C-alpha cells in the first residue's frame, strides 16, 4: 500500500511531465510518467540510433537486468517489431529513438511494480496505448495478467494486435476506441 502511494506521490512531484494512467483492478491507480525532452537529454548524435544500439541500451542496463530470460526475450522481440513496423507506419517518432531505451526502462519498471502488487484477479488498462509503451511491456513482464490497451488510432491498434500475437501474449488485448466513447 505504501509503495503504491509512494509511486503516485513521486510522479506528481515531478515538474514538466506528461501523465499516463494505468489502472490495476483491485488496486488504486498507478501513475506512469513520460518525461519531456528537456528532462531527459541525449547528445544529438543519438537521434538516429541503430537497432543494435537501441537493443543494447534497452536490455543491458537498468530494470531490464531484473527480468527473467523469457521476459527479456519478449522485450527484445517487441523492440525489433516496433522498429521494423515503424519503418513503414509511423507509430513512434524516429527523432525520439534516443528516448526509447528510457521509455523501455520506465515501462519495465512499471511492469515490475505491477508484478509486486498483483492479486489473483488483477488486470491492467492502458489508455492511449500508442506504440505499446507501457502496455506491451507490462504484458511482457506479466504474461499471466490480462492487459487491455485502448488506442484511438487504428494504425497503432493494428501494431498492438500484431505484436501481442507475435509475442504470444494471449491475455493482451488491444481495442481501437476513442477514450471519450469508451467512458460512456
Amino acid at each position: 500500500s505504501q509503495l503504491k502511494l509512494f509511486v503516485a506521490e513521486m510522479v506528481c512531484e515531478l515538474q514538466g511531465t506528461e501523465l499516463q494512467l494505468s489502472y490495476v483492478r483491485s488496486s488504486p491507480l498507478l501513475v506512469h510518467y513520460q518525461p519531456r525532452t528537456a528532462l531527459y537529454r541525449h547528445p544529438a548524435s543519438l537521434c538516429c540510433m541503430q537497432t543494435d544500439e537501441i537493443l543494447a541500451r534497452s536490455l543491458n542496463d537498468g530494470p531490464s537486468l531484473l527480468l527473467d530470460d523469457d521476459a527479456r526475450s519478449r522485450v527484445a522481440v517487441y523492440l525489433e517489431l516496433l522498429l521494423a513496423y515503424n519503418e513503414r507506419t509511423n507509430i513512434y517518432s524516429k527523432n525520439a529513438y534516443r528516448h526509447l531505451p528510457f521509455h523501455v526502462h520506465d515501462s519495465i519498471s512499471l511492469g515490475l511494480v505491477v508484478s509486486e502488487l498483483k492479486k489473483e484477479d488483477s488486470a491492467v488498462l492502458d489508455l492511449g496505448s500508442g506504440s505499446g509503451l507501457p502496455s506491451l511491456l507490462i504484458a511482457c513482464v506479466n504474461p499471466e495478467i490480462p492487459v487491455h490497451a485502448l488506442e484511438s488510432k487504428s494504425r497503432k491498434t493494428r501494431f498492438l494486435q500484431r505484436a501481442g500475437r507475435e509475442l504470444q501474449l494471449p491475455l493482451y488485448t488491444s481495442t481501437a476506441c476513442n477514450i471519450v466513447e469508451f467512458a460512456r
Side-chain angles (χ1 to χ4, degrees), residues 113-131:
V113 169
V114 169
S115 292
E116 292 294 319
L117 301 178
K118 70 183 174 192
K119 296 181 181 174
E120 187 176 322
D121 62 346
S122 292
V124 174
L125 173 62
D126 180 16
L127 305 173
S129 301
S131 59

Side-chain angles (χ1 to χ4, degrees), residues 39-60:
L39 296 176
Y40 187 74
R41 292 190 179 185
H42 281 289
S45 61
L46 295 179
C47 175
C48 300
M49 292 170 62
Q50 298 298 317
T51 300
D52 292 342
E53 187 177 1
I54 292 171
L55 287 170
R57 288 177 178 261
S58 298
L59 298 172
N60 299 329

Side-chain angles (χ1 to χ4, degrees), residues 78-147:
Y78 162 76
L79 287 168
E80 291 169 351
L81 290 170
L82 172 63
L83 296 171
Y85 195 89
N86 206 49
E87 287 299 314
R88 296 185 320 274
T89 305
N90 182 31
I91 58 172
Y92 190 93
S93 173
K94 290 181 181 181
N95 289 331
Y97 277 180
R98 67 180 177 258
H99 301 294
L100 188 54
F102 176 82
H103 288 238
V104 169
H105 291 168
D106 198 35
S107 298
I108 290 171
S109 295
L110 185 58
L112 293 170
V113 169
V114 169
S115 292
E116 292 294 319
L117 301 178
K118 70 183 174 192
K119 296 181 181 174
E120 187 176 322
D121 62 346
S122 292
V124 174
L125 173 62
D126 180 16
L127 305 173
S129 301
S131 59
L133 297 167
S135 66
L136 271 166
L137 294 187
I138 291 172
C140 286
V141 174
N142 302 284
E144 72 285 355
I145 296 177
V147 176

